[in-house]
Amino acid sequence: MPKLIITADDCGLSEANNRYVLDLHERGYLTAASVLTNYPAHQHALEIFRGCKGLDLGVHLNLTDGAPVAQFAADHPRLLGGDRRFRGQFNLYLRALFFDKNAIGWIRKELDMQVRRCCEAGRDPQHITTHQHFHSLPALREIVHELAAVYRVRRVRGHDLRALLTPKALLLRRQRGTSRYSFFMPDYLTAVQRWMKRAPAEFARRIARLDGTIEIVVHPAPAETDADFPADMEYGPAPRYAEAQFLVKAIDHMRKLGIASQPRLD
């Protein structure tokens, strides 16, 4: 039977989002929260999660949505548009093939400042994840792993797409660790978003077949209208609420199957 890490990504998008994540955690449906520190509500997230001793708190590094944290002397045209906001996922993945030393240096500084925002709020991050899974790209993965070592985080999300459990995954294999660093990576990764056209019970049964630690990723949002939700975020509150409801039903099924959540890595 697998052990579960259940992570809410994109915390910090709005205060309503943060409160809903806290509610899901208190009801036993989340074990971790990953915060986008380049959005204004990240401070609210870090504050309300402060008293949650059982919540694994980390940074959700971001190079594709919103604005950068760092105010460098020169903007990087390959990463930022004229409005000084990130150009998006397609641009990042396309241009990552041709990043020079200047671009890599810019990215390293920006991501370091995103982690530091968490530390400056008095919260040492326990894990690092990446928005849009950009650390699947080798050049960016090395930066993420270096930062994880510098800030002594306990866990980094797995990057190997062959360890990603999807409805059509046939040749699934465990995430391989790294001998260079001491942080932990879960054996498998799955995202609720990929399972929304299937039944929660089927999702639970597929996870029950695995042996090891599996991280389940969800992007929660409350049902009520959230006026502060960022307008530039394409994935809106309605599908996020549907994800959360799917997760609740799936976890209830998993509990009946005897699947346990992974304790926080202290």
Side-chain angles (χ1 to χ4, degrees), residues 18-39:
N18 297 336
R19 287 190 290 269
Y20 188 58
V21 168
L22 179 61
D23 176 67
L24 287 172
H25 168 65
E26 290 177 340
R27 291 162 54 199
Y29 292 105
L30 292 174
T31 66
S34 208
V35 181
L36 287 165
T37 60
N38 71 314
Y39 277 86

mmCIF file of all heavy atoms in Angstrom, residues 18-39:
data_model
loop_
_atom_site.group_PDB
_atom_site.id
_atom_site.type_symbol
_atom_site.label_atom_id
_atom_site.label_comp_id
_atom_site.label_asym_id
_atom_site.label_seq_id
_atom_site.Cartn_x
_atom_site.Cartn_y
_atom_site.Cartn_z
ATOM 1 N N ASN A 18 -6.569 30.627 0.272
ATOM 2 C CA ASN A 18 -5.780 30.186 1.422
ATOM 3 C C ASN A 18 -6.671 29.613 2.527
ATOM 4 O O ASN A 18 -6.346 28.579 3.120
ATOM 5 C CB ASN A 18 -4.980 31.364 1.985
ATOM 6 C CG ASN A 18 -3.968 31.909 0.998
ATOM 7 O OD1 ASN A 18 -3.533 31.214 0.088
ATOM 8 N ND2 ASN A 18 -3.600 33.171 1.172
ATOM 9 N N ARG A 19 -7.778 30.284 2.809
ATOM 10 C CA ARG A 19 -8.682 29.801 3.859
ATOM 11 C C ARG A 19 -9.289 28.450 3.486
ATOM 12 O O ARG A 19 -9.495 27.585 4.359
ATOM 13 C CB ARG A 19 -9.774 30.831 4.124
ATOM 14 C CG ARG A 19 -9.274 32.073 4.875
ATOM 15 C CD ARG A 19 -10.423 32.941 5.332
ATOM 16 N NE ARG A 19 -11.087 33.584 4.206
ATOM 17 C CZ ARG A 19 -10.757 34.782 3.730
ATOM 18 N NH1 ARG A 19 -9.778 35.471 4.290
ATOM 19 N NH2 ARG A 19 -11.416 35.308 2.715
ATOM 20 N N TYR A 20 -9.560 28.250 2.204
ATOM 21 C CA TYR A 20 -10.140 26.978 1.778
ATOM 22 C C TYR A 20 -9.115 25.846 1.912
ATOM 23 O O TYR A 20 -9.457 24.728 2.314
ATOM 24 C CB TYR A 20 -10.623 27.091 0.334
ATOM 25 C CG TYR A 20 -11.401 25.898 -0.146
ATOM 26 C CD1 TYR A 20 -12.556 25.477 0.512
ATOM 27 C CD2 TYR A 20 -10.984 25.177 -1.268
ATOM 28 C CE1 TYR A 20 -13.270 24.380 0.073
ATOM 29 C CE2 TYR A 20 -11.703 24.079 -1.713
ATOM 30 C CZ TYR A 20 -12.841 23.684 -1.046
ATOM 31 O OH TYR A 20 -13.550 22.602 -1.481
ATOM 32 N N VAL A 21 -7.870 26.142 1.585
ATOM 33 C CA VAL A 21 -6.804 25.152 1.769
ATOM 34 C C VAL A 21 -6.680 24.784 3.251
ATOM 35 O O VAL A 21 -6.555 23.599 3.598
ATOM 36 C CB VAL A 21 -5.460 25.692 1.231
ATOM 37 C CG1 VAL A 21 -4.293 24.814 1.677
ATOM 38 C CG2 VAL A 21 -5.497 25.773 -0.294
ATOM 39 N N LEU A 22 -6.727 25.784 4.110
ATOM 40 C CA LEU A 22 -6.652 25.522 5.543
ATOM 41 C C LEU A 22 -7.810 24.633 5.997
ATOM 42 O O LEU A 22 -7.627 23.694 6.790
ATOM 43 C CB LEU A 22 -6.664 26.845 6.307
ATOM 44 C CG LEU A 22 -6.624 26.748 7.831
ATOM 45 C CD1 LEU A 22 -5.356 26.063 8.299
ATOM 46 C CD2 LEU A 22 -6.743 28.141 8.451
ATOM 47 N N ASP A 23 -9.001 24.899 5.488
ATOM 48 C CA ASP A 23 -10.174 24.094 5.840
ATOM 49 C C ASP A 23 -9.989 22.641 5.403
ATOM 50 O O ASP A 23 -10.276 21.714 6.172
ATOM 51 C CB ASP A 23 -11.422 24.687 5.182
ATOM 52 C CG ASP A 23 -12.663 23.833 5.421
ATOM 53 O OD1 ASP A 23 -13.096 23.746 6.587
ATOM 54 O OD2 ASP A 23 -13.174 23.242 4.449
ATOM 55 N N LEU A 24 -9.492 22.432 4.184
ATOM 56 C CA LEU A 24 -9.267 21.068 3.702
ATOM 57 C C LEU A 24 -8.231 20.344 4.559
ATOM 58 O O LEU A 24 -8.370 19.147 4.853
ATOM 59 C CB LEU A 24 -8.813 21.091 2.246
ATOM 60 C CG LEU A 24 -9.877 21.434 1.197
ATOM 61 C CD1 LEU A 24 -9.235 21.612 -0.172
ATOM 62 C CD2 LEU A 24 -10.947 20.344 1.125
ATOM 63 N N HIS A 25 -7.201 21.069 4.964
ATOM 64 C CA HIS A 25 -6.186 20.457 5.827
ATOM 65 C C HIS A 25 -6.785 20.074 7.173
ATOM 66 O O HIS A 25 -6.552 18.962 7.681
ATOM 67 C CB HIS A 25 -5.019 21.417 6.022
ATOM 68 C CG HIS A 25 -4.077 20.997 7.105
ATOM 69 N ND1 HIS A 25 -3.319 19.850 7.022
ATOM 70 C CD2 HIS A 25 -3.793 21.560 8.319
ATOM 71 C CE1 HIS A 25 -2.593 19.726 8.122
ATOM 72 N NE2 HIS A 25 -2.877 20.733 8.919
ATOM 73 N N GLU A 26 -7.547 20.978 7.762
ATOM 74 C CA GLU A 26 -8.122 20.706 9.080
ATOM 75 C C GLU A 26 -9.116 19.561 9.037
ATOM 76 O O GLU A 26 -9.333 18.883 10.050
ATOM 77 C CB GLU A 26 -8.777 21.978 9.617
ATOM 78 C CG GLU A 26 -7.756 23.058 9.995
ATOM 79 C CD GLU A 26 -8.398 24.342 10.457
ATOM 80 O OE1 GLU A 26 -9.595 24.553 10.145
ATOM 81 O OE2 GLU A 26 -7.715 25.135 11.140
ATOM 82 N N ARG A 27 -9.716 19.327 7.869
ATOM 83 C CA ARG A 27 -10.632 18.199 7.700
ATOM 84 C C ARG A 27 -9.908 16.911 7.328
ATOM 85 O O ARG A 27 -10.531 15.865 7.151
ATOM 86 C CB ARG A 27 -11.673 18.540 6.624
ATOM 87 C CG ARG A 27 -12.659 19.626 7.068
ATOM 88 C CD ARG A 27 -13.365 20.250 5.882
ATOM 89 N NE ARG A 27 -14.001 19.241 5.035
ATOM 90 C CZ ARG A 27 -14.375 19.455 3.762
ATOM 91 N NH1 ARG A 27 -14.177 20.648 3.222
ATOM 92 N NH2 ARG A 27 -14.948 18.492 3.078
ATOM 93 N N GLY A 28 -8.580 16.978 7.199
ATOM 94 C CA GLY A 28 -7.785 15.784 6.968
ATOM 95 C C GLY A 28 -7.583 15.408 5.523
ATOM 96 O O GLY A 28 -7.168 14.275 5.234
ATOM 97 N N TYR A 29 -7.803 16.353 4.588
ATOM 98 C CA TYR A 29 -7.682 16.029 3.165
ATOM 99 C C TYR A 29 -6.413 16.567 2.520
ATOM 100 O O TYR A 29 -6.172 16.310 1.333
ATOM 101 C CB TYR A 29 -8.910 16.547 2.400
ATOM 102 C CG TYR A 29 -10.166 15.800 2.763
ATOM 103 C CD1 TYR A 29 -11.130 16.372 3.574
ATOM 104 C CD2 TYR A 29 -10.377 14.493 2.312
ATOM 105 C CE1 TYR A 29 -12.286 15.681 3.927
ATOM 106 C CE2 TYR A 29 -11.520 13.789 2.660
ATOM 107 C CZ TYR A 29 -12.469 14.390 3.462
ATOM 108 O OH TYR A 29 -13.605 13.696 3.817
ATOM 109 N N LEU A 30 -5.599 17.300 3.261
ATOM 110 C CA LEU A 30 -4.333 17.812 2.744
ATOM 111 C C LEU A 30 -3.248 17.625 3.794
ATOM 112 O O LEU A 30 -3.489 17.808 4.989
ATOM 113 C CB LEU A 30 -4.439 19.306 2.416
ATOM 114 C CG LEU A 30 -5.323 19.733 1.245
ATOM 115 C CD1 LEU A 30 -5.408 21.252 1.189
ATOM 116 C CD2 LEU A 30 -4.800 19.181 -0.070
ATOM 117 N N THR A 31 -2.052 17.288 3.334
ATOM 118 C CA THR A 31 -0.915 17.190 4.244
ATOM 119 C C THR A 31 0.140 18.252 3.957
ATOM 120 O O THR A 31 1.061 18.427 4.746
ATOM 121 C CB THR A 31 -0.249 15.806 4.154
ATOM 122 O OG1 THR A 31 0.339 15.645 2.848
ATOM 123 C CG2 THR A 31 -1.249 14.691 4.400
ATOM 124 N N ALA A 32 0.028 18.944 2.805
ATOM 125 C CA ALA A 32 1.056 19.908 2.417
ATOM 126 C C ALA A 32 0.433 21.069 1.654
ATOM 127 O O ALA A 32 -0.589 20.911 0.985
ATOM 128 C CB ALA A 32 2.126 19.226 1.563
ATOM 129 N N ALA A 33 1.085 22.222 1.757
ATOM 130 C CA ALA A 33 0.658 23.417 1.034
ATOM 131 C C ALA A 33 1.879 24.052 0.393
ATOM 132 O O ALA A 33 2.894 24.285 1.060
ATOM 133 C CB ALA A 33 -0.022 24.412 1.978
ATOM 134 N N SER A 34 1.773 24.341 -0.910
ATOM 135 C CA SER A 34 2.887 24.903 -1.668
ATOM 136 C C SER A 34 2.505 26.317 -2.114
ATOM 137 O O SER A 34 1.526 26.494 -2.849
ATOM 138 C CB SER A 34 3.180 24.001 -2.873
ATOM 139 O OG SER A 34 4.524 24.065 -3.261
ATOM 140 N N VAL A 35 3.274 27.302 -1.677
ATOM 141 C CA VAL A 35 2.875 28.706 -1.788
ATOM 142 C C VAL A 35 3.595 29.420 -2.932
ATOM 143 O O VAL A 35 4.828 29.362 -3.047
ATOM 144 C CB VAL A 35 3.150 29.452 -0.467
ATOM 145 C CG1 VAL A 35 2.722 30.913 -0.572
ATOM 146 C CG2 VAL A 35 2.422 28.767 0.690
ATOM 147 N N LEU A 36 2.806 30.122 -3.760
ATOM 148 C CA LEU A 36 3.339 31.000 -4.810
ATOM 149 C C LEU A 36 3.725 32.321 -4.153
ATOM 150 O O LEU A 36 2.866 33.172 -3.895
ATOM 151 C CB LEU A 36 2.283 31.244 -5.883
ATOM 152 C CG LEU A 36 1.947 30.097 -6.831
ATOM 153 C CD1 LEU A 36 0.643 30.395 -7.564
ATOM 154 C CD2 LEU A 36 3.077 29.876 -7.834
ATOM 155 N N THR A 37 4.993 32.527 -3.896
ATOM 156 C CA THR A 37 5.390 33.724 -3.150
ATOM 157 C C THR A 37 5.475 34.967 -4.028
ATOM 158 O O THR A 37 5.793 36.052 -3.516
ATOM 159 C CB THR A 37 6.738 33.505 -2.438
ATOM 160 O OG1 THR A 37 7.748 33.212 -3.413
ATOM 161 C CG2 THR A 37 6.645 32.367 -1.429
ATOM 162 N N ASN A 38 5.201 34.858 -5.316
ATOM 163 C CA ASN A 38 5.206 36.056 -6.163
ATOM 164 C C ASN A 38 3.813 36.651 -6.315
ATOM 165 O O ASN A 38 3.621 37.559 -7.133
ATOM 166 C CB ASN A 38 5.816 35.755 -7.542
ATOM 167 C CG ASN A 38 4.923 34.892 -8.420
ATOM 168 O OD1 ASN A 38 4.378 33.893 -7.956
ATOM 169 N ND2 ASN A 38 4.778 35.271 -9.679
ATOM 170 N N TYR A 39 2.842 36.168 -5.547
ATOM 171 C CA TYR A 39 1.498 36.754 -5.542
ATOM 172 C C TYR A 39 1.247 37.416 -4.183
ATOM 173 O O TYR A 39 1.739 36.947 -3.149
ATOM 174 C CB TYR A 39 0.442 35.686 -5.823
ATOM 175 C CG TYR A 39 0.259 35.419 -7.299
ATOM 176 C CD1 TYR A 39 1.062 34.514 -7.964
ATOM 177 C CD2 TYR A 39 -0.702 36.109 -8.040
ATOM 178 C CE1 TYR A 39 0.914 34.283 -9.331
ATOM 179 C CE2 TYR A 39 -0.865 35.889 -9.404
ATOM 180 C CZ TYR A 39 -0.058 34.974 -10.043
ATOM 181 O OH TYR A 39 -0.197 34.761 -11.394
#
